Structures are given as C-alpha cells and as structure tokens.
Amino acid sequence: MTSIDFKKDKPRCACGIFGIYEHTQASLLTYYGLHALQHRGQEASGIVSHYFDKEKKKHHFNTTKGMGLVTDVFKDYTVIQEQLVGSSSIGHNRYSTSGSANNRLNIQPFVVNYRDGNLAIAHNGNLTNFRKLRSELQNEGTIFQTTSDSEIILHLIARSKKTKQIEQIQDALEQIEGAFSLLILTDTALIATRDIYGFRPLALGKKDDSYVVASESCAFDIMDAQYIRDIEPGEILVIENNISIKKKPQSLHISKQTPTHHHCIFEYIYFSRPDSQIFGESVDKVRRKLGKGLAQEAPVAQEDDTKTIVISVPDSSNTAALGYVSESNKKGIRAKLEIGLIRNHYVGRTFIQPEQAQREMKVKTKYSTVKGVLKGRRVIVVDDSIVRGTTSKQLIKLLKEAQPKEIHFRITSPPIVNSCHYGMDFPNKKDLIACQCDGDIEKMRQEFGVDSLHFLSMEKMLESVPRNEKKNYCTACFGGAYPTQIESTLNKDELEV
Ligand code: SF4
C-alpha cells in the first residue's frame, strides 16, 4: 500500500526544543513551549523533568514520550502534574532526519545515567560526521540503543577522560560536526549550545525568575516569557544551580575555532513561524521583504482591464504575499490581496492514496478555492518554495477549475537543487522538480501549466535577510556551497534492523 503525503512536498524540519531551569511549573511550561513549536516536528514528542528529593538527597529524571502531536502525547494532564514533577525540564518535538521515524527508541529527549549523574539531551539539527563517529564508538565497544545521531553526543560525554562534567561536554561538542542546537539537562544545570555555524536557531528568554531556552521565540510568547537574546554560534551557556535571574549564566565556547555564522536561510523562507524572532530578526519582516523582492523582479504587467489579484498558498506564504502586493502597488500595478485558497487545518491522516485521482482528492482535502474570487481574474499565486512540485501541480489544477483568466506563479526562493545535510528533510535530487527539469524555468512553467513562473534570485533572497560581517547564511540547497565537509549521506532507515 502506498501513501502519498503531500506535506512532504515541502522540506520538513528536524525538530523543536524547549528547556526551563528552576520553575515551579517547569513541565507544564515545557508542554506549552512544545505546543508553540509543533510546526517544527509532528512525529513524536517528549519531556524530561528533573526532581531533587531533598530527604534522600537523590536526583530523579522523569520521562514521558510518545508518537504523535504534543496534544496526543500529553492528553492526560495528570502526566504533567504527577509524573513530570520537578523544577527543571527539557522537551523535544521530533521530525526524523536521522534515524527511522517508526523507531520509538528514537524519540527524544534521551536520558542516561553515567558516573557523574543523569544526563538528558534534546537535539535539533544533523551531525555530518555521524557515520564515522558511530563506527569508531562501536569498534570500541559502545552499544547503541537508538539509530539517531543525537545518541552519539551522550556516549562522547560519558567516555570523555575529563574530570569536570562541563569539560566532558565541551570535549564531546568539539568532536561532533554539522548542525546542532542542543539542550542538555544535568543534575545541576541546564546547558544550551549551538554549533559554530549557527545553522539552527536557539533563543534565550526569561519567565518570571527562571531562564527559558527555545528553538524559536514564539515559544516564549505563549507563556509571556521575554526574549533576551540568541545563544551565539559556538556558545555553551551554562544555567546552574543558585544562579538567580539577576546573575548572568556562564558563557563558554565550544572550541578555539572562530564561529563562521551560516544560519539556515530556509528558516526565514519557510520553517519558522512568522511571529518568531530568529537569528536576531523578525521572520515576518524578512518574509515581507522576500515578497517585495519578488514583485521588483517579476511584476505582472496589466495589459488589459482584467482585475489582478494576489493570493498566497496558506499559511507560510501569507506574509510574503502582503509584501508582493505592497511593492506592486508602489510600482503602479493595481493588485489586490485576496483569499483565494482556503487551507483546511484539520486534515490529519486520510485514506490510502494509490492513484492519480486519489492524489487530487488529497489536495482537495487540504485546500479549497474561493471560486467567486478567482473567476475571470489575473491571479498571481505566491508560494515560498517548490520541492517535488507535486502539490504545486495539483494546486494549479485546482485553481484552474475556478476559471481564472491567467495564473502567474511566484516563488519567494530560488529553485531547490541540492539536499540538506543540516537537519532538513529534502527528497533525493532526482525527485526535485528543478533537477528533473535541468533547472530550466520554462520547462517547469510548462509542467505547472501556468502563464508565467518566477523564482526569486539568490541575490534578492540575500538582500531580504539581515547581513553583516558576522551574519552569513547557508544557501547550499539552492547554490550547492556547503559550509562544512559532508560525509556520504545516511539514509534515515539505514541503521534499522
Ligand atoms: Fe538550510 Fe538549505 Fe542550508 Fe539546509 S542546505 S541548512 S535547508 S539553507
């Protein structure tokens, strides 16, 4: 039986992480934090809390994990109230980019107990030297419990010859390469760290008298926490016992290597929520600029009296469509923003979809058109990215049923021509429509059956994001320049038995 998952026609994000140190409602706030970060991973979710038994002078790490959405895994409130007791906790929303999605052992946070106490870890990103490190560790006798790259970090900490725990963590972090935004909960600290490139976002905030750390600042807004700053690339922030909010946590560094700042530009284009602030900038602001840049590069001429409307492919393109309209109007083009596509947010899993007709059905369960808005109009459709192109084709077909006069397709990123090795799940190159069409935009236009097609140029995309000598971006999936060395790609299920 085959199932076609249209959500996979967008790159999928690797995970969302949240942590809080010393708060009376630690696990409840972690639950809310994960809820706000649900868009970063929907396969599984988990929370680990730390409880210190003063009488017995014993540290306990309590864990609840499961497959599904945050609301599925934690549907029983007593789990938060009675099981996840304690004053500190970390949580994780998973979308698998390393390690099989179906292996329950891969659900994070991972917890171990070693010679220096308990350790829990929540990881967003992908390690690029995973294969090498795993085989070295296995040759030395390490037994792996999971097929996830994140487990390696725990083994490297536990096997470190350093005496102090923070040095063991530093030692481990210096051996791993690639993308990692990490939260490590120990018996005495919450540690937040990012790789030296800063691929994935990680923000520090404050809730009441406690520090909070999250993949995106939208997790702070849900609980009225205040954003303080980003965890810097290459930084190890140690939030320890007895440090009050007035005293800053200790800030260490991964290695003497200078951080090079290669933030994932796709976080701005598609992954992050528009109400988040990432890499020091509002996602909403960047998406508006992307839309404006698109209107500057590819305005749609009004050659007759046909009314021009701009619609977005909801929800991730809504803000960019606003930018496109405002810039078009500035250029004297009368274009009106309309809601022409409605997204059904309650799709969930539908029946098995083996045939073409069923595939169309799947798009129709997810999107519907407002026919009166589209009929007889010149329609400019704004979308953020195209991966396989399967959903786009079906979507254009659906729009055509509403009988618009013309359809002009505008994309707020360049064509995707490469895989991501830093925590985003793209299909193989052969499945990318831009590769199938040899990068020929006219060929793609014909595939989609639209009147015109334009992808934002690399230059305009980079003009839309904040840049300075410290702030650079990874654009490898568009241009192929990977900021790190890449070992041969590991299939997600390769290690499964
Ligand atoms: Fe982001 Fe693309 Fe770079 Fe991956 S390859 S980190 S998706 S910009």
Side-chain angles (χ1 to χ4, degrees):
M1 291 198 300
T2 343
S3 129
I4 294 160
D5 185 351
F6 277 92
K7 283 188 284 184
K8 283 192 179 161
D9 202 23
K10 288 287 179 197
R12 303 281 295 272
C13 186
C15 302
I17 56 177
F18 182 89
I20 182 162
Y21 198 71
E22 296 206 333
H23 193 287
T24 47
Q25 292 189 303
S27 54
L28 180 65
L29 292 171
T30 303
Y31 164 81
Y32 284 127
L34 292 182
H35 199 277
L37 296 170
Q38 187 71 84
H39 60 290
R40 296 186 72 86
Q42 297 96 40
E43 283 177 2
S45 187
I47 295 177
V48 169
S49 69
H50 168 225
Y51 166 71
F52 181 60
D53 185 333
K54 285 183 184 150
E55 270 178 33
K56 294 182 184 158
K57 295 202 177 357
K58 210 167 177 273
H59 295 276
H60 296 276
F61 273 36
N62 307 304
T63 310
T64 301
K65 304 196 268 192
M67 304 293 279
L69 301 176
V70 178
T71 45
D72 298 330
V73 178
F74 301 100
K75 56 176 171 265
D76 180 2
Y77 181 62
T78 55
V79 169
I80 304 276
Q81 230 177 5
E82 292 165 19
Q83 286 180 34
L84 293 170
V85 289
S87 60
S88 302
S89 67
I90 61 172
H92 188 271
N93 282 340
R94 174 172 164 80
Y95 175 72
S96 54
T97 52
S98 159
S100 171
N102 301 320
N103 185 343
R104 295 179 71 88
L105 293 171
N106 286 336
I107 305 173
Q108 296 191 31
F110 296 146
V111 184
V112 289
N113 184 277
Y114 80 123
R115 65 183 185 279
D116 288 332
N118 298 293
L119 279 180
I121 195 169
H123 173 205
N124 174 200
N126 259 23
L127 304 186
T128 50
N129 60 344
F130 168 43
R131 192 194 289 269
K132 177 176 159 279
L133 286 175
R134 187 174 164 111
S135 101
E136 280 171 10
L137 287 165
Q138 274 176 328
N139 289 341
E140 288 165 17
T142 305
I143 296 168
F144 282 87
Q145 303 282 325
T146 75
T147 54
S148 156
D149 58 352
S150 317
E151 188 188 349
I152 282 184
I153 304 166
L154 291 173
H155 289 295
L156 291 173
I157 297 170
R159 294 171 67 96
S160 172
K161 301 275 185 290
K162 305 277 182 190
T163 45
K164 285 188 187 160
Q165 190 177 53
I166 189 63
E167 288 171 358
Q168 294 159 7
I169 291 170
Q170 253 173 323
D171 190 20
L173 296 177
E174 279 164 19
Q175 294 174 66
I176 57 175
E177 289 166 15
F180 55 90
S181 281
L182 277 183
L183 288 176
I184 303 171
L185 188 63
T186 73
D187 289 339
T188 55
L190 170 64
I191 295 157
T193 183
R194 266 171 102 193
D195 60 76
I196 58 161
Y197 307 94
F199 284 111
R200 301 282 145 239
L202 194 61
L204 176 70
K206 160 179 110 153
K207 167 69 183 164
D208 305 324
D209 277 340
S210 304
Y211 284 108
V212 282
V213 187
S215 296
E216 292 179 37
S217 64
C218 64
F220 300 156
D221 299 336
I222 194 171
M223 61 189 73
D224 295 326
Q226 288 83 48
Y227 166 82
I228 299 175
R229 66 171 175 89
D230 283 2
I231 307 296
E232 290 295 316
E235 182 179 12
I236 306 172
L237 194 80
V238 187
I239 304 165
E240 279 179 298
N241 270 344
N242 306 323
I243 286 191
S244 81
I245 197 82
K246 292 185 193 87
K247 199 171 161 195
K248 284 185 181 165
Q250 192 186 7
S251 175
L252 306 169
H253 293 279
I254 290 176
S255 67
K256 293 194 176 68
Q257 222 180 328
T258 318
T260 60
H261 293 237
H262 281 88
H263 307 311
C264 169
I265 204 158
F266 230 107
E267 290 275 357
Y268 279 131
I269 293 165
Y270 170 69
F271 299 124
S272 296
R273 265 175 46 167
D275 52 337
S276 281
Q277 166 134 342
I278 59 156
F279 312 138
E281 183 62 286
S282 138
V283 176
D284 171 272
K285 202 167 156 188
V286 171
R287 289 205 184 143
R288 274 173 205 259
K289 282 192 192 166
L290 290 165
K292 284 182 183 178
L294 202 51
Q296 286 160 9
E297 278 189 350
V300 175
Q302 289 173 311
E303 281 154 2
D304 54 30
D305 290 343
T306 307
K307 282 193 179 144
T308 302
I309 63 160
V310 177
I311 63 167
S312 72
V313 177
D315 298 317
S316 49
S317 312
N318 293 352
T319 320
L322 280 169
Y324 189 94
V325 170
S326 80
E327 189 62 22
S328 297
N329 292 341
K330 224 160 110 187
K331 290 171 86 67
I333 298 168
R334 288 186 319 280
K336 204 172 153 205
L337 185 73
E338 287 283 4
I339 312 287
L341 268 174
I342 305 294
R343 184 174 159 197
N344 178 1
H345 288 261
Y346 309 101
V347 182
R349 288 197 177 274
T350 41
F351 297 113
I352 304 305
Q353 315 284 314
E355 304 301 337
Q356 182 69 19
Q358 294 282 359
R359 203 181 296 179
E360 286 166 26
M361 198 60 218
K362 179 93 186 193
V363 159
K364 285 182 175 172
T365 60
K366 194 172 171 190
Y367 295 105
S368 55
T369 55
V370 184
K371 294 194 174 58
V373 164
L374 301 165
K375 191 170 181 184
R377 302 281 159 83
R378 177 178 295 117
V379 179
I380 302 168
V381 186
V382 176
D383 201 356
D384 49 74
S385 54
I386 298 181
V387 183
R388 285 185 172 88
T390 43
T391 301
S392 303
K393 280 185 211 167
Q394 297 301 328
L395 215 53
I396 297 294
K397 210 166 163 220
L398 190 69
L399 288 170
K400 282 186 171 173
E401 286 173 16
Q403 300 174 352
K405 192 167 175 214
E406 297 166 16
I407 297 181
H408 302 270
F409 205 9
R410 298 290 179 268
I411 316 299
T412 61
S413 62
I416 297 170
V417 290
N418 291 298
S419 323
C420 174
H421 298 273
Y422 308 120
M424 298 301 164
D425 193 22
F426 285 91
N428 291 329
K429 277 184 89 151
K430 65 173 178 40
D431 295 319
L432 296 168
I433 185 153
C435 293
Q436 286 168 352
C437 294
D438 305 315
D440 185 335
I441 308 293
E442 174 55 20
K443 232 178 180 176
M444 279 191 261
R445 185 195 69 75
Q446 287 171 17
E447 282 279 321
F448 294 129
V450 290
D451 295 277
S452 73
L453 169 69
H454 183 83
F455 290 84
L456 191 68
S457 68
M458 183 80 94
E459 296 71 35
K460 266 285 181 241
M461 177 177 72
L462 287 167
E463 271 176 31
S464 311
V465 293
R467 288 174 86 191
N468 55 45
E469 69 286 352
K470 270 186 81 184
K471 212 178 264 300
N472 269 311
Y473 293 88
C474 173
T475 56
C477 48
F478 306 114
Y482 291 98
T484 68
Q485 282 212 320
I486 305 292
E487 66 175 24
S488 59
T489 311
L490 192 71
N491 181 300
K492 274 203 295 192
D493 295 308
E494 188 179 316
L495 298 170
E496 298 298 327
V497 284

